[in-house]
Amino acid sequence: MASSAPLSSTLSTNHTVKRALGVADPELAAIVAAEEHRQQYTIELIASENIVSTAVLEAQGSVLTNKYAEGYPGKRYYGGCEEVDKAEELAIRRAQQLFKTDYAVNVQPHSGSQANMAVYMAAGLAKGDKVLGMSLDHGGHLTHGYKLNFSGLDYTIASYGVTKDAQVIDYDEVARIAAEFQPKLIIAGASNYSRTLDFPRFAAIAKQVGALLFVDMAHIAGLVAAGLHPSPFGHADFVTTTTHKTLRGPRGGMIFSRSPEHAKKVNSRVFPGIQGGPLMHVIAAKAVSFGEALRPEFTEYMGRVKASSAAMADEFKRLGWQVVSGGTDNHLFSLNVMSNGVTGKQAEDKLHEVGITVNKNLIPFDTQPAQAGSGIRIGTPAVCSRGFGVPEAVEIARLIDQTLKKRDDAAALADAKARARAMCERFPIYR
Ligand code: DSN
């Protein structure tokens, strides 16, 4: 006999599901609103940050959040994956189109660090095997061999850096270290290097010593996509990137593999190797951002990012500041603030007071402790996303100059703060 029990009321559950954040959780909603306000009224110069489109936010806040999809398109461990399969395939197709490559793509890494970890494993390295990467204090990334990162803990690392005088990579020196050290893997790529990377040269060095070449293009991916930095494709065995820096997508990572054998290993190292369920809402947002980056407006945007970075570095030099390596070919540069008697940390704090956000940084051959640093890293991707260009970049350099040189002059600081705020008001975000 059929049960006569009444069906559950949908009223209470639906009511909960459909409530807007501001109604459901005013406390958290206030934090989000305050963060939006901070972004609106702050000049954001952190080189690894950006301001994504509302379409990217919408995809990331979509119902794809609800879906488990361990595995890969067509080979999942859960039912009901037909729509998320399409989203992942779209992201893969667009990534290949964007970088004009037939390398296989894995769009599942939750972050750049996880993408890099999967590459170490897919490259067939055993614990203790030798890896050559750029040292952290000369601009490399934690995952390129820093002693407290998995890369430095699990592998034997040698590092290259920049020259003392010109502060650029000396490729002869990289070749010399590689020949002596005989690494299995060479990493090219940086988090804080303002000059063009010579991928053919790295590939030649790798070939000479029988190493695999792994390019981490996280910082410059947008420039590569726009044709404003030489491409690593055709030179590297693996290419990784984050998707949220110059690429202007959601926070996440991605791996490209040249050979089908490596691609297979990458897939199994990402899942089930180091990750479980992929974040399908993030993968959807990656697809949206790659679609945006395929548009001509993105090329214009990246051109403005590069021109603004160069103009700002030039203005700093004109104002008497030391720019590491003497300038920039990309979206960022480091300013040696210690040359004007202020540590990186002091500069970061003082600039925060006037509404300018930067991060302190070690500069090559730094004599300051890591917590202080002698430099600040400055990047233009976020400000250019809100519409800034060369004139605003020059104005920002003047504001920073005023703030740091007149750091004890309350009137000068108040003036810089008012001018920074006025610039933000002229270029609103999300409005
Ligand atoms: N933490 C990032 C940066 O700021 O460059 C690198 O992953």
Side-chain angles (χ1 to χ4, degrees):
M1 204 175 114
S3 160
S4 59
L7 291 173
S8 306
S9 163
T10 56
L11 188 64
S12 59
T13 46
N14 271 351
H15 184 67
T16 308
V17 165
K18 286 182 180 168
R19 272 191 301 169
L21 181 61
V23 178
D25 192 337
E27 190 178 359
L28 196 275
I31 294 170
V32 173
E35 173 59 13
E36 187 177 337
H37 185 271
R38 187 194 69 79
Q39 291 182 18
Q40 172 63 53
Y41 294 106
T42 301
I43 292 181
E44 181 57 72
L45 298 176
I46 292 179
S48 47
E49 292 190 13
N50 214 324
I51 299 168
V52 301
S53 68
T54 47
V56 167
L57 289 180
E58 202 178 316
Q60 199 164 358
S62 73
V63 295
L64 273 67
T65 294
N66 300 332
K67 193 69 198 99
Y68 242 126
E70 286 179 5
Y72 290 97
K75 290 172 283 190
R76 303 287 190 186
Y77 289 83
Y78 291 84
C81 289
E82 56 278 5
E83 300 308 328
V84 293
D85 272 6
K86 289 181 208 161
E88 185 161 345
E89 279 161 355
L90 188 60
I92 290 169
R93 210 165 51 242
R94 286 183 178 169
Q96 288 175 322
Q97 218 182 325
L98 185 59
F99 292 102
K100 299 179 183 61
T101 182
D102 57 4
Y103 279 37
V105 188
N106 186 309
V107 293
Q108 293 193 1
H110 301 331
S111 71
S113 291
Q114 278 178 294
N116 290 357
M117 182 186 258
V119 167
Y120 276 79
M121 297 165 96
L125 299 183
K127 293 216 168 165
D129 273 350
K130 294 178 182 175
V131 176
L132 174 61
M134 191 167 190
S135 73
L136 185 67
D137 51 345
H138 283 217
H141 187 250
L142 293 168
T143 55
H144 300 180
Y146 180 57
K147 61 181 182 200
L148 299 179
N149 182 261
F150 80 87
S151 53
L153 292 167
D154 288 350
Y155 303 98
T156 306
I157 303 292
S159 301
Y160 59 86
V162 298
T163 55
K164 204 152 194 175
D165 45 351
Q167 298 176 322
V168 296
I169 294 171
D170 175 348
Y171 291 92
D172 291 337
E173 178 66 359
V174 178
R176 191 195 59 72
I177 299 171
E180 194 179 300
F181 185 61
Q182 292 290 309
K184 281 197 172 167
L185 184 71
I186 296 181
I187 307 175
S191 289
N192 192 15
Y193 185 66
S194 64
R195 294 306 187 177
T196 300
L197 290 165
D198 188 342
F199 298 129
R201 188 72 206 277
F202 270 114
I205 295 169
K207 193 171 173 199
Q208 228 159 20
V209 299
L212 293 168
L213 178 62
F214 160 25
V215 171
D216 177 348
M217 64 168 183
H219 262 270
I220 55 169
L223 291 161
V224 171
L228 298 173
H229 186 289
S231 172
F233 293 97
H235 303 292
D237 297 287
F238 300 96
V239 178
T240 62
T241 184
T242 47
T243 46
H244 50 273
K245 296 188 175 89
T246 48
L247 260 190
R248 205 166 59 182
R251 308 194 75 79
M254 172 158 64
I255 305 170
F256 297 83
S257 311
R258 173 151 59 181
S259 80
E261 295 73 35
H262 280 146
K264 225 173 135 193
K265 284 189 186 152
V266 160
N267 283 355
S268 70
R269 296 307 182 265
V270 170
F271 170 81
I274 56 173
Q275 290 189 175
L279 307 175
M280 298 317 301
H281 54 306
V282 178
I283 290 173
K286 287 174 182 172
V288 173
S289 64
F290 302 158
E292 290 173 352
L294 280 161
R295 299 178 65 83
E297 299 90 285
F298 187 79
T299 307
E300 182 280 326
Y301 157 68
M302 282 312 321
R304 197 153 33 80
V305 164
K306 195 172 161 174
S308 301
S309 174
M312 212 192 289
D314 283 347
E315 184 64 7
F316 274 121
K317 286 196 288 181
R318 196 187 66 76
L319 293 164
W321 294 84
Q322 275 178 27
V323 174
V324 171
S325 90
T328 176
D329 303 325
N330 60 26
H331 62 299
L332 62 73
F333 58 89
S334 271
L335 202 60
N336 179 349
V337 286
M338 212 51 215
S339 62
N340 268 310
V342 52
T343 68
K345 173 74 177 126
Q346 288 164 339
E348 179 186 309
D349 291 346
K350 197 46 90 175
L351 290 167
H352 178 69
E353 281 177 32
V354 303
I356 297 175
T357 312
V358 298
N359 64 286
K360 68 174 158 62
N361 236 105
L362 288 173
I363 57 169
F365 310 101
D366 211 321
T367 51
Q368 291 294 314
Q371 313 86 285
S374 289
I376 54 174
R377 186 182 62 161
I378 293 179
T380 52
V383 288
C384 288
S385 283
R386 69 190 297 166
F388 287 16
V390 166
E392 290 76 26
V394 171
E395 168 74 353
I396 292 171
R398 291 175 188 163
L399 291 183
I400 293 176
D401 175 74
Q402 176 171 319
T403 303
L404 297 184
K405 284 184 184 158
K406 299 188 178 172
R407 52 190 176 274
D408 299 321
D409 177 341
L413 295 180
D415 174 68
K417 187 172 182 172
R419 282 160 58 200
R421 169 114 187 170
M423 286 173 75
C424 292
E425 276 168 357
R426 275 211 319 280
F427 295 89
I429 56 174
Y430 302 125
R431 289 183 190 179

